[in-house]
Amino acid sequence: MDTEITMQEITPQERELMSEITELLKNKDTENAITTIKKLISISKNAALIKEYTNLLNKIKQIEKKPKDQFEVTVEKPTTKFKDVKGMEKLKKKISKEIILMMQGRKDYLRHKLKPTGLLFYGPPGTGKTLLAEATAGEFGMNLIKPDLATLFSQWVGETEKNIVKIVQKAIDNQPCLVFIDEVDAKIRAREKIEARGESIVNLNATTQFLETMQNVHNAEYQILFVGATNRIWDVDSAAKRPGRLGNLIYVGPPKLKDRFMLFRYYLKTVKDLKIGPFGFLRLSLATTGYSPSDIEEICIQAKKEMLYKNLNTEYYTKKYTKEEYLHAKETNTLPPKPREQLSTRDILRTIKKDFKNSSLDTWYVESYKDMIGWEETQVEKVKGKIFTKTLKKKVKHEGKITQDERKIYKDMLRDVKRAHNRWLLTVILRTLARL
Protein backbone atom coordinates (compact mmCIF):
# COMPACT_ATOMS: atom_id res chain seq x y z
CA MET A 1 0.00 0.00 0.00
CA ASP A 2 1.00 3.62 -0.41
CA THR A 3 2.99 4.93 2.60
CA GLU A 4 0.64 7.93 2.79
CA ILE A 5 -2.17 5.63 3.91
CA THR A 6 -1.96 5.01 7.65
CA MET A 7 -4.13 2.74 9.75
CA GLN A 8 -5.34 5.70 11.83
CA GLU A 9 -6.87 7.31 8.71
CA ILE A 10 -8.77 4.17 7.66
CA THR A 11 -12.28 3.68 9.03
CA PRO A 12 -13.45 0.23 10.25
CA GLN A 13 -15.75 -0.09 7.22
CA GLU A 14 -12.89 0.69 4.84
CA ARG A 15 -10.63 -1.78 6.66
CA GLU A 16 -13.27 -4.48 6.34
CA LEU A 17 -13.65 -3.86 2.59
CA MET A 18 -9.87 -3.88 2.12
CA SER A 19 -9.64 -7.29 3.82
CA GLU A 20 -12.47 -8.57 1.65
CA ILE A 21 -10.70 -7.36 -1.52
CA THR A 22 -7.47 -9.08 -0.47
CA GLU A 23 -9.32 -12.36 0.14
CA LEU A 24 -11.18 -12.17 -3.17
CA LEU A 25 -7.96 -11.54 -5.11
CA LYS A 26 -6.30 -14.49 -3.36
CA ASN A 27 -9.16 -16.67 -4.57
CA LYS A 28 -8.86 -15.13 -8.07
CA ASP A 29 -12.45 -13.88 -7.89
CA THR A 30 -11.74 -10.73 -9.91
CA GLU A 31 -15.36 -10.01 -10.76
CA ASN A 32 -16.41 -9.60 -7.10
CA ALA A 33 -13.08 -7.92 -6.29
CA ILE A 34 -13.82 -5.21 -8.89
CA THR A 35 -17.31 -4.67 -7.40
CA THR A 36 -15.88 -4.36 -3.87
CA ILE A 37 -13.11 -1.97 -4.96
CA LYS A 38 -15.69 0.27 -6.62
CA LYS A 39 -17.73 0.23 -3.40
CA LEU A 40 -14.64 1.13 -1.36
CA ILE A 41 -13.79 4.04 -3.65
CA SER A 42 -17.38 5.34 -3.51
CA ILE A 43 -17.62 5.44 0.32
CA SER A 44 -14.05 6.52 1.14
CA LYS A 45 -13.03 10.13 1.76
CA ASN A 46 -9.33 9.24 2.01
CA ALA A 47 -7.67 10.68 -1.13
CA ALA A 48 -4.57 8.48 -0.85
CA LEU A 49 -6.66 5.33 -0.43
CA ILE A 50 -8.90 6.27 -3.37
CA LYS A 51 -5.84 6.83 -5.57
CA GLU A 52 -4.25 3.55 -4.52
CA TYR A 53 -7.35 1.45 -5.16
CA THR A 54 -8.18 3.27 -8.41
CA ASN A 55 -4.74 2.23 -9.69
CA LEU A 56 -5.40 -1.33 -8.51
CA LEU A 57 -8.77 -1.34 -10.29
CA ASN A 58 -7.17 -0.20 -13.56
CA LYS A 59 -4.52 -2.93 -13.31
CA ILE A 60 -7.14 -5.62 -12.74
CA LYS A 61 -9.19 -4.36 -15.72
CA GLN A 62 -6.07 -4.42 -17.91
CA ILE A 63 -5.40 -8.03 -16.91
CA GLU A 64 -9.03 -8.90 -17.58
CA LYS A 65 -8.69 -7.56 -21.12
CA LYS A 66 -6.08 -10.20 -21.82
CA PRO A 67 -7.68 -12.97 -23.88
CA LYS A 68 -8.20 -16.13 -21.89
CA ASP A 69 -7.47 -19.08 -24.09
CA GLN A 70 -9.25 -17.49 -27.06
CA PHE A 71 -7.12 -19.41 -29.53
CA GLU A 72 -8.73 -22.69 -30.51
CA VAL A 73 -7.35 -25.28 -32.87
CA THR A 74 -9.99 -27.14 -34.88
CA VAL A 75 -9.30 -30.16 -37.03
CA GLU A 76 -11.19 -30.69 -40.29
CA LYS A 77 -11.50 -33.75 -42.50
CA PRO A 78 -11.73 -32.24 -46.01
CA THR A 79 -13.73 -34.02 -48.68
CA THR A 80 -12.44 -31.84 -51.54
CA LYS A 81 -10.07 -33.66 -53.89
CA PHE A 82 -7.99 -32.80 -56.94
CA LYS A 83 -10.85 -33.77 -59.27
CA ASP A 84 -12.85 -30.88 -57.73
CA VAL A 85 -10.15 -28.39 -58.75
CA LYS A 86 -10.66 -27.57 -62.41
CA GLY A 87 -7.50 -27.03 -64.42
CA MET A 88 -4.11 -26.67 -62.69
CA GLU A 89 -3.04 -30.13 -63.93
CA LYS A 90 0.70 -29.33 -63.83
CA LEU A 91 0.40 -27.91 -60.32
CA LYS A 92 -1.51 -30.96 -59.08
CA LYS A 93 1.18 -33.28 -60.47
CA LYS A 94 3.94 -31.23 -58.87
CA ILE A 95 2.19 -31.18 -55.48
CA SER A 96 1.49 -34.93 -55.68
CA LYS A 97 5.15 -35.63 -56.34
CA GLU A 98 6.26 -33.55 -53.35
CA ILE A 99 3.69 -35.06 -50.98
CA ILE A 100 4.49 -38.65 -52.00
CA LEU A 101 8.22 -38.06 -51.52
CA MET A 102 7.93 -36.25 -48.20
CA MET A 103 5.07 -38.14 -46.56
CA GLN A 104 5.11 -41.67 -47.95
CA GLY A 105 8.85 -42.01 -48.56
CA ARG A 106 9.91 -39.96 -45.55
CA LYS A 107 12.58 -42.32 -44.15
CA ASP A 108 14.42 -42.54 -47.47
CA TYR A 109 13.94 -38.80 -47.92
CA LEU A 110 15.73 -38.13 -44.63
CA ARG A 111 18.35 -40.84 -45.27
CA HIS A 112 19.45 -38.97 -48.38
CA LYS A 113 19.74 -35.82 -46.22
CA LEU A 114 16.96 -34.10 -48.14
CA LYS A 115 15.14 -31.43 -46.18
CA PRO A 116 11.37 -31.91 -45.96
CA THR A 117 9.94 -28.52 -46.88
CA GLY A 118 6.51 -26.95 -46.66
CA LEU A 119 4.68 -25.50 -49.65
CA LEU A 120 4.00 -21.83 -50.26
CA PHE A 121 1.29 -21.06 -52.82
CA TYR A 122 1.64 -17.56 -54.22
CA GLY A 123 -0.12 -15.61 -56.92
CA PRO A 124 -3.05 -13.25 -57.57
CA PRO A 125 -6.09 -13.31 -55.25
CA GLY A 126 -9.01 -15.58 -56.09
CA THR A 127 -7.01 -18.09 -58.14
CA GLY A 128 -7.81 -21.07 -55.89
CA LYS A 129 -4.88 -21.28 -53.45
CA THR A 130 -7.07 -22.14 -50.47
CA LEU A 131 -9.09 -24.65 -52.49
CA LEU A 132 -5.85 -26.25 -53.69
CA ALA A 133 -4.61 -26.62 -50.10
CA GLU A 134 -7.89 -28.24 -49.02
CA ALA A 135 -7.82 -30.53 -52.07
CA THR A 136 -4.24 -31.55 -51.27
CA ALA A 137 -5.28 -32.63 -47.77
CA GLY A 138 -8.37 -34.43 -49.11
CA GLU A 139 -6.49 -36.17 -51.92
CA PHE A 140 -3.96 -37.76 -49.56
CA GLY A 141 -6.34 -38.45 -46.67
CA MET A 142 -4.80 -35.85 -44.38
CA ASN A 143 -6.50 -33.95 -41.60
CA LEU A 144 -6.55 -30.16 -42.01
CA ILE A 145 -5.79 -27.41 -39.50
CA LYS A 146 -6.36 -23.79 -40.54
CA PRO A 147 -5.15 -21.55 -37.69
CA ASP A 148 -6.47 -18.00 -37.61
CA LEU A 149 -3.43 -15.71 -37.71
CA ALA A 150 -5.44 -12.87 -36.15
CA THR A 151 -5.67 -14.84 -32.88
CA LEU A 152 -2.52 -16.94 -33.30
CA PHE A 153 -0.23 -13.93 -32.98
CA SER A 154 -1.06 -12.27 -29.67
CA GLN A 155 0.14 -8.93 -28.26
CA TRP A 156 0.71 -10.61 -24.89
CA VAL A 157 4.16 -11.96 -24.10
CA GLY A 158 4.23 -15.75 -24.21
CA GLU A 159 0.72 -16.19 -25.63
CA THR A 160 1.83 -16.69 -29.24
CA GLU A 161 4.36 -19.31 -28.16
CA LYS A 162 1.61 -21.23 -26.32
CA ASN A 163 -0.63 -21.03 -29.38
CA ILE A 164 2.15 -22.43 -31.61
CA VAL A 165 2.60 -25.37 -29.23
CA LYS A 166 -1.18 -25.99 -29.38
CA ILE A 167 -1.11 -26.17 -33.18
CA VAL A 168 1.84 -28.57 -33.27
CA GLN A 169 0.41 -30.81 -30.55
CA LYS A 170 -2.97 -30.94 -32.29
CA ALA A 171 -1.24 -31.81 -35.59
CA ILE A 172 0.80 -34.57 -33.90
CA ASP A 173 -2.37 -36.03 -32.38
CA ASN A 174 -4.11 -36.02 -35.79
CA GLN A 175 -1.43 -37.31 -38.16
CA PRO A 176 -1.22 -37.26 -41.13
CA CYS A 177 -2.01 -33.56 -40.96
CA LEU A 178 -1.73 -30.51 -43.19
CA VAL A 179 -1.44 -27.13 -41.44
CA PHE A 180 -2.62 -24.38 -43.79
CA ILE A 181 -1.63 -20.77 -43.09
CA ASP A 182 -3.52 -18.29 -45.26
CA GLU A 183 -2.26 -14.73 -45.93
CA VAL A 184 1.25 -15.49 -44.71
CA ASP A 185 2.37 -11.96 -45.59
CA ALA A 186 -0.01 -10.52 -42.96
CA LYS A 187 2.06 -11.78 -40.03
CA ILE A 188 5.25 -13.41 -41.31
CA ARG A 189 6.43 -10.16 -42.87
CA ALA A 190 9.94 -9.21 -43.91
CA ARG A 191 11.99 -8.13 -40.86
CA GLU A 192 12.74 -4.69 -42.25
CA LYS A 193 8.99 -4.04 -42.63
CA ILE A 194 8.36 -4.98 -38.99
CA GLU A 195 11.14 -2.67 -37.84
CA ALA A 196 10.05 0.14 -40.19
CA ARG A 197 6.51 0.07 -38.80
CA GLY A 198 7.81 0.13 -35.25
CA GLU A 199 5.99 -3.07 -34.34
CA SER A 200 6.63 -4.81 -31.07
CA ILE A 201 9.72 -7.00 -30.73
CA VAL A 202 7.26 -9.57 -29.37
CA ASN A 203 5.90 -10.03 -32.92
CA LEU A 204 9.40 -10.50 -34.31
CA ASN A 205 10.37 -13.07 -31.69
CA ALA A 206 7.09 -14.95 -32.09
CA THR A 207 7.54 -15.07 -35.88
CA THR A 208 11.07 -16.42 -35.45
CA GLN A 209 9.89 -19.14 -33.09
CA PHE A 210 7.02 -20.06 -35.40
CA LEU A 211 9.43 -20.56 -38.31
CA GLU A 212 11.88 -22.56 -36.18
CA THR A 213 9.05 -24.78 -34.90
CA MET A 214 7.89 -25.34 -38.48
CA GLN A 215 11.38 -26.46 -39.48
CA ASN A 216 11.75 -28.76 -36.48
CA VAL A 217 8.42 -30.43 -37.22
CA HIS A 218 9.36 -30.97 -40.88
CA ASN A 219 12.72 -32.47 -39.89
CA ALA A 220 11.17 -34.85 -37.36
CA GLU A 221 9.50 -38.09 -38.40
CA TYR A 222 6.01 -36.63 -38.15
CA GLN A 223 3.52 -36.86 -40.98
CA ILE A 224 2.85 -33.13 -40.78
CA LEU A 225 3.12 -30.64 -43.62
CA PHE A 226 2.89 -26.85 -43.40
CA VAL A 227 1.36 -25.07 -46.39
CA GLY A 228 1.08 -21.29 -46.76
CA ALA A 229 -0.64 -18.95 -49.22
CA THR A 230 -0.01 -15.31 -50.10
CA ASN A 231 -0.93 -12.68 -52.70
CA ARG A 232 2.19 -10.65 -51.90
CA ILE A 233 5.17 -12.99 -51.99
CA TRP A 234 7.62 -10.06 -51.86
CA ASP A 235 6.31 -9.06 -48.42
CA VAL A 236 6.91 -12.50 -46.87
CA ASP A 237 10.01 -12.78 -44.67
CA SER A 238 12.88 -14.39 -46.60
CA ALA A 239 13.49 -16.67 -43.58
CA ALA A 240 10.07 -18.26 -44.20
CA LYS A 241 11.05 -19.14 -47.78
CA ARG A 242 14.08 -21.23 -46.79
CA PRO A 243 14.26 -25.03 -47.21
CA GLY A 244 12.68 -26.80 -44.26
CA ARG A 245 10.05 -24.10 -43.76
CA LEU A 246 7.87 -22.87 -46.65
CA GLY A 247 10.67 -23.15 -49.17
CA ASN A 248 8.81 -24.98 -51.92
CA LEU A 249 7.31 -22.05 -53.86
CA ILE A 250 4.41 -22.87 -56.17
CA TYR A 251 2.90 -20.19 -58.39
CA VAL A 252 -0.89 -20.35 -58.74
CA GLY A 253 -1.65 -18.05 -61.64
CA PRO A 254 -4.86 -16.93 -63.37
CA PRO A 255 -6.71 -19.59 -65.39
CA LYS A 256 -5.78 -20.06 -69.02
CA LEU A 257 -8.37 -20.21 -71.82
CA LYS A 258 -9.01 -23.96 -71.50
CA ASP A 259 -9.23 -23.62 -67.69
CA ARG A 260 -11.87 -20.90 -67.98
CA PHE A 261 -13.74 -23.12 -70.45
CA MET A 262 -13.76 -25.94 -67.85
CA LEU A 263 -14.75 -23.57 -65.03
CA PHE A 264 -17.83 -22.30 -66.87
CA ARG A 265 -18.90 -25.87 -67.66
CA TYR A 266 -18.39 -26.89 -64.02
CA TYR A 267 -20.28 -23.98 -62.42
CA LEU A 268 -23.21 -24.15 -64.89
CA LYS A 269 -23.70 -27.93 -64.82
CA THR A 270 -26.58 -27.62 -62.30
CA VAL A 271 -28.73 -25.71 -64.82
CA LYS A 272 -31.27 -28.21 -66.18
CA ASP A 273 -31.74 -26.67 -69.63
CA LEU A 274 -28.37 -25.19 -70.52
CA LYS A 275 -28.39 -23.69 -74.01
CA ILE A 276 -24.62 -23.27 -74.27
CA GLY A 277 -22.55 -25.35 -76.68
CA PRO A 278 -18.75 -25.60 -77.14
CA PHE A 279 -18.63 -22.36 -79.17
CA GLY A 280 -20.67 -20.58 -76.48
CA PHE A 281 -18.27 -21.70 -73.77
CA LEU A 282 -15.38 -20.51 -75.93
CA ARG A 283 -16.99 -17.06 -76.23
CA LEU A 284 -17.47 -16.88 -72.47
CA SER A 285 -13.84 -17.92 -71.94
CA LEU A 286 -12.62 -15.16 -74.27
CA ALA A 287 -14.99 -12.61 -72.71
CA THR A 288 -13.38 -13.29 -69.31
CA THR A 289 -9.74 -13.05 -70.36
CA GLY A 290 -7.69 -12.17 -67.28
CA TYR A 291 -10.49 -13.11 -64.85
CA SER A 292 -9.89 -15.24 -61.76
CA PRO A 293 -11.74 -18.49 -60.93
CA SER A 294 -13.61 -16.68 -58.16
CA ASP A 295 -14.74 -14.04 -60.72
CA ILE A 296 -16.10 -16.78 -62.99
CA GLU A 297 -17.85 -18.48 -60.08
CA GLU A 298 -19.50 -15.17 -59.11
CA ILE A 299 -20.61 -14.59 -62.72
CA CYS A 300 -22.29 -18.01 -62.82
CA ILE A 301 -23.91 -17.52 -59.42
CA GLN A 302 -25.34 -14.14 -60.46
CA ALA A 303 -26.61 -15.51 -63.79
CA LYS A 304 -28.40 -18.37 -62.00
CA LYS A 305 -29.94 -15.95 -59.51
CA GLU A 306 -31.26 -13.80 -62.38
CA MET A 307 -32.72 -16.91 -64.00
CA LEU A 308 -34.49 -18.00 -60.80
CA TYR A 309 -35.79 -14.48 -60.12
CA LYS A 310 -37.15 -14.26 -63.66
CA ASN A 311 -38.90 -17.62 -63.25
CA LEU A 312 -40.49 -16.54 -59.96
CA ASN A 313 -42.14 -13.61 -61.75
CA THR A 314 -43.88 -15.85 -64.29
CA GLU A 315 -47.62 -16.59 -64.16
CA TYR A 316 -46.91 -20.08 -62.77
CA TYR A 317 -45.79 -18.54 -59.46
CA THR A 318 -47.65 -15.20 -59.42
CA LYS A 319 -51.19 -16.25 -60.41
CA LYS A 320 -53.41 -16.96 -57.39
CA TYR A 321 -56.36 -19.39 -57.32
CA THR A 322 -59.12 -20.35 -54.99
CA LYS A 323 -59.35 -24.08 -54.31
CA GLU A 324 -62.22 -24.49 -56.79
CA GLU A 325 -60.43 -22.46 -59.49
CA TYR A 326 -57.26 -24.49 -59.06
CA LEU A 327 -59.06 -27.83 -59.31
CA HIS A 328 -60.97 -26.65 -62.40
CA ALA A 329 -57.77 -25.42 -64.09
CA LYS A 330 -56.09 -28.73 -63.29
CA GLU A 331 -58.97 -30.74 -64.74
CA THR A 332 -59.17 -28.64 -67.90
CA ASN A 333 -55.36 -28.59 -68.22
CA THR A 334 -55.26 -24.79 -68.26
CA LEU A 335 -52.66 -24.31 -65.52
CA PRO A 336 -49.72 -22.10 -66.62
CA PRO A 337 -46.67 -24.19 -67.59
CA LYS A 338 -43.83 -24.39 -65.08
CA PRO A 339 -40.92 -22.20 -66.30
CA ARG A 340 -37.80 -24.07 -67.35
CA GLU A 341 -34.41 -23.48 -65.80
CA GLN A 342 -32.74 -22.19 -68.89
CA LEU A 343 -29.56 -20.22 -69.55
CA SER A 344 -27.95 -19.25 -72.84
CA THR A 345 -24.62 -17.73 -73.84
CA ARG A 346 -26.40 -14.39 -74.27
CA ASP A 347 -27.70 -14.56 -70.66
CA ILE A 348 -24.20 -15.06 -69.25
CA LEU A 349 -22.74 -12.31 -71.46
CA ARG A 350 -25.50 -9.97 -70.28
CA THR A 351 -24.51 -10.68 -66.66
CA ILE A 352 -20.84 -10.00 -67.45
CA LYS A 353 -21.66 -6.68 -69.14
CA LYS A 354 -23.95 -5.59 -66.34
CA ASP A 355 -22.07 -6.59 -63.18
CA PHE A 356 -18.60 -7.87 -64.12
CA LYS A 357 -17.21 -5.50 -66.76
CA ASN A 358 -13.71 -5.78 -65.30
CA SER A 359 -11.77 -8.51 -63.59
CA SER A 360 -11.02 -8.28 -59.87
CA LEU A 361 -7.38 -8.89 -60.85
CA ASP A 362 -7.04 -5.70 -62.91
CA THR A 363 -6.32 -3.53 -59.86
CA TRP A 364 -4.05 -6.18 -58.33
CA TYR A 365 -1.91 -6.27 -61.48
CA VAL A 366 -1.48 -2.48 -61.44
CA GLU A 367 -0.39 -2.48 -57.78
CA SER A 368 1.82 -5.55 -58.22
CA TYR A 369 3.58 -4.00 -61.22
CA LYS A 370 4.61 -1.08 -59.03
CA ASP A 371 5.65 -3.33 -56.15
CA MET A 372 7.63 -5.78 -58.27
CA ILE A 373 9.07 -3.69 -61.08
CA GLY A 374 8.81 -0.11 -59.85
CA TRP A 375 7.42 2.98 -61.52
CA GLU A 376 8.29 6.47 -62.69
CA GLU A 377 6.60 9.68 -61.67
CA THR A 378 7.06 13.27 -62.76
CA GLN A 379 7.63 15.69 -59.90
CA VAL A 380 6.87 19.36 -60.55
CA GLU A 381 8.81 22.02 -58.67
CA LYS A 382 8.24 25.77 -58.90
CA VAL A 383 11.33 27.97 -58.49
CA LYS A 384 10.81 31.69 -57.94
CA GLY A 385 13.15 33.96 -59.84
CA LYS A 386 13.57 37.71 -59.63
CA ILE A 387 10.98 38.28 -62.34
CA PHE A 388 9.41 34.95 -63.35
CA THR A 389 8.57 31.70 -61.63
CA LYS A 390 10.08 28.68 -63.38
CA THR A 391 8.40 25.31 -63.43
CA LEU A 392 10.88 22.44 -63.34
CA LYS A 393 9.83 18.89 -64.15
CA LYS A 394 11.90 15.99 -62.95
CA LYS A 395 11.36 12.27 -63.49
CA VAL A 396 11.85 10.16 -60.39
CA LYS A 397 12.21 6.39 -60.65
CA HIS A 398 11.02 4.20 -57.78
CA GLU A 399 12.63 0.79 -57.57
CA GLY A 400 10.60 -2.39 -57.15
CA LYS A 401 10.65 -4.49 -53.98
CA ILE A 402 12.16 -7.63 -55.47
CA THR A 403 15.83 -8.27 -56.20
CA GLN A 404 17.31 -9.59 -59.43
CA ASP A 405 17.60 -13.07 -57.93
CA GLU A 406 13.95 -12.97 -56.85
CA ARG A 407 12.93 -11.96 -60.37
CA LYS A 408 14.30 -15.31 -61.56
CA ILE A 409 12.47 -17.19 -58.81
CA TYR A 410 9.15 -15.42 -59.43
CA LYS A 411 9.56 -15.37 -63.22
CA ASP A 412 6.13 -16.92 -63.91
CA MET A 413 4.29 -14.33 -61.84
CA LEU A 414 6.49 -11.53 -63.20
CA ARG A 415 5.62 -12.65 -66.74
CA ASP A 416 1.88 -12.47 -66.01
CA VAL A 417 2.19 -9.08 -64.32
CA LYS A 418 4.16 -7.64 -67.26
CA ARG A 419 1.77 -9.16 -69.76
CA ALA A 420 -1.25 -7.67 -67.99
CA HIS A 421 0.49 -4.27 -67.90
CA ASN A 422 1.74 -4.26 -71.50
CA ARG A 423 -1.24 -5.91 -73.16
CA TRP A 424 -4.09 -4.28 -71.28
CA LEU A 425 -5.47 -2.66 -74.45
CA LEU A 426 -5.38 -5.97 -76.33
CA THR A 427 -7.16 -7.66 -73.40
CA VAL A 428 -9.90 -5.01 -73.38
CA ILE A 429 -10.42 -5.39 -77.16
CA LEU A 430 -10.56 -9.19 -76.86
CA ARG A 431 -13.09 -9.04 -74.04
CA THR A 432 -15.24 -6.51 -75.91
CA LEU A 433 -15.30 -8.47 -79.19
CA ALA A 434 -16.26 -11.69 -77.39
CA ARG A 435 -19.15 -9.91 -75.65
CA LEU A 436 -20.75 -8.57 -78.86
Side-chain angles (χ1 to χ4, degrees):
M1 286 292 169
D2 199 305
T3 53
E4 293 179 3
I5 304 174
T6 61
M7 294 304 292
Q8 290 80 6
E9 296 172 329
I10 299 172
T11 66
Q13 188 182 3
E14 290 171 343
R15 193 178 294 114
E16 185 182 338
L17 289 172
M18 288 167 66
S19 300
E20 188 180 339
I21 291 165
T22 304
E23 194 64 32
L24 288 168
L25 290 176
K26 279 183 182 178
N27 296 328
K28 297 182 179 180
D29 188 356
T30 53
E31 187 176 344
N32 286 323
I34 289 171
T35 305
T36 311
I37 291 170
K38 287 179 178 179
K39 184 179 178 181
L40 175 61
I41 292 169
S42 66
I43 66 165
S44 179
K45 294 181 180 179
N46 188 320
L49 186 141
I50 292 170
K51 181 181 177 182
E52 184 71 21
Y53 275 89
T54 300
N55 291 337
L56 177 61
L57 181 63
N58 291 334
K59 286 178 183 177
I60 293 172
K61 285 181 177 179
Q62 187 65 28
I63 293 169
E64 284 295 293
K65 284 181 183 177
K66 183 177 177 179
K68 294 183 179 179
D69 204 25
Q70 280 187 356
F71 183 72
E72 294 182 3
V73 182
T74 55
V75 180
E76 301 174 24
K77 190 71 179 177
T79 55
T80 308
K81 296 193 175 182
F82 280 163
K83 64 181 176 61
D84 300 311
V85 181
K86 300 304 169 187
M88 303 187 191
E89 298 306 321
K90 288 184 180 179
L91 291 183
K92 288 186 277 192
K93 285 180 182 177
K94 185 177 181 180
I95 292 166
S96 297
K97 185 178 177 182
E98 292 294 334
I99 299 290
I100 290 167
L101 283 172
M102 284 192 292
M103 306 305 286
Q104 297 178 12
R106 197 171 191 82
K107 287 185 179 178
D108 292 332
Y109 203 85
L110 295 171
R111 182 170 58 82
H112 285 286
K113 296 183 178 179
L114 299 172
K115 283 189 174 182
T117 301
L119 310 177
L120 180 56
F121 300 148
Y122 71 98
T127 51
K129 296 183 285 295
T130 301
L131 179 64
L132 194 57
E134 291 174 355
T136 300
E139 186 72 19
F140 294 95
M142 303 171 76
N143 292 310
L144 179 66
I145 293 175
K146 295 193 289 185
D148 180 12
L149 289 186
T151 53
L152 169 61
F153 286 85
S154 173
Q155 62 175 318
W156 304 102
V157 177
E159 284 297 312
T160 302
E161 290 77 0
K162 289 179 185 177
N163 294 341
I164 293 168
V165 171
K166 279 185 185 178
I167 292 171
V168 173
Q169 191 56 55
K170 201 78 169 180
I172 291 170
D173 294 341
N174 292 275
Q175 297 181 68
C177 187
L178 187 150
V179 181
F180 177 61
I181 308 154
D182 201 4
E183 297 182 359
V184 175
D185 54 284
K187 285 294 181 182
I188 310 179
R189 285 195 292 273
R191 309 296 171 96
E192 59 271 16
K193 291 184 180 294
I194 292 176
E195 292 166 2
R197 294 187 184 189
E199 293 183 21
S200 170
I201 194 70
V202 173
N203 289 344
L204 186 58
N205 293 339
T207 300
T208 302
Q209 185 182 340
F210 186 62
L211 295 175
E212 288 174 355
T213 303
M214 192 187 302
Q215 186 165 344
N216 293 337
V217 170
H218 282 152
N219 289 339
E221 292 190 9
Y222 297 126
Q223 285 193 311
I224 299 172
L225 180 69
F226 283 86
V227 176
T230 178
N231 304 332
R232 301 174 62 83
I233 186 69
W234 52 87
D235 282 343
V236 178
D237 189 2
S238 57
K241 295 177 275 189
R242 292 176 191 164
R245 296 174 179 178
L246 298 173
N248 201 335
L249 307 182
I250 296 177
Y251 175 57
V252 184
K256 294 180 172 59
L257 181 68
K258 63 177 182 180
D259 296 330
R260 295 195 298 276
F261 190 101
M262 292 171 65
L263 285 166
F264 273 112
R265 289 189 64 178
Y266 176 74
Y267 289 125
L268 294 172
K269 68 181 181 180
T270 56
V271 180
K272 292 178 181 177
D273 190 10
L274 188 62
K275 300 289 186 181
I276 304 176
F279 181 72
F281 281 119
L282 179 61
R283 278 190 70 187
L284 295 176
S285 304
L286 290 170
T288 51
T289 301
Y291 281 54
S292 70
S294 62
D295 289 334
I296 293 171
E297 183 182 11
E298 285 299 318
I299 289 168
C300 295
I301 288 171
Q302 187 62 30
K304 286 188 274 190
K305 283 181 179 179
E306 291 290 340
M307 173 194 70
L308 294 173
Y309 182 74
K310 184 180 176 181
N311 287 352
L312 287 173
N313 284 312
T314 59
E315 193 179 10
Y316 180 84
Y317 290 102
T318 57
K319 191 171 182 178
K320 295 181 180 180
Y321 298 90
T322 63
K323 187 177 180 180
E324 291 76 14
E325 288 173 340
Y326 177 78
L327 292 172
H328 179 265
K330 192 175 181 181
E331 286 175 8
T332 56
N333 200 24
T334 56
L335 285 172
K338 186 176 181 179
R340 300 169 70 183
E341 288 189 1
Q342 186 173 307
L343 276 178
S344 65
T345 307
R346 182 60 57 189
D347 293 327
I348 308 296
L349 289 173
R350 193 180 298 113
T351 300
I352 294 171
K353 289 178 185 178
K354 182 183 174 184
D355 301 314
F356 301 91
K357 289 182 180 178
N358 298 310
S359 165
S360 63
L361 299 184
D362 292 344
T363 304
W364 183 86
Y365 278 126
V366 171
E367 293 172 353
S368 298
Y369 187 89
K370 290 180 179 179
D371 283 336
M372 295 183 75
I373 298 166
W375 78 98
E376 281 188 354
E377 68 172 338
T378 303
Q379 291 184 350
V380 179
E381 184 182 356
K382 291 185 177 181
V383 181
K384 286 186 178 181
K386 291 182 179 180
I387 302 173
F388 301 105
T389 300
K390 292 183 179 179
T391 301
L392 300 178
K393 291 184 179 180
K394 183 173 66 172
K395 283 191 175 182
V396 178
K397 188 173 182 180
H398 298 271
E399 296 295 330
K401 296 179 181 178
I402 61 173
T403 63
Q404 289 299 324
D405 291 337
E406 286 176 326
R407 289 190 178 205
K408 293 176 184 176
I409 297 169
Y410 312 142
K411 62 181 181 181
D412 291 334
M413 184 168 72
L414 193 61
R415 178 202 62 217
D416 285 344
V417 170
K418 283 183 175 179
R419 185 179 293 167
H421 182 267
N422 297 331
R423 300 184 184 178
W424 67 270
L425 183 58
L426 180 63
T427 301
V428 171
I429 293 170
L430 190 61
R431 290 176 186 172
T432 305
L433 290 175
R435 295 171 189 177
L436 292 175

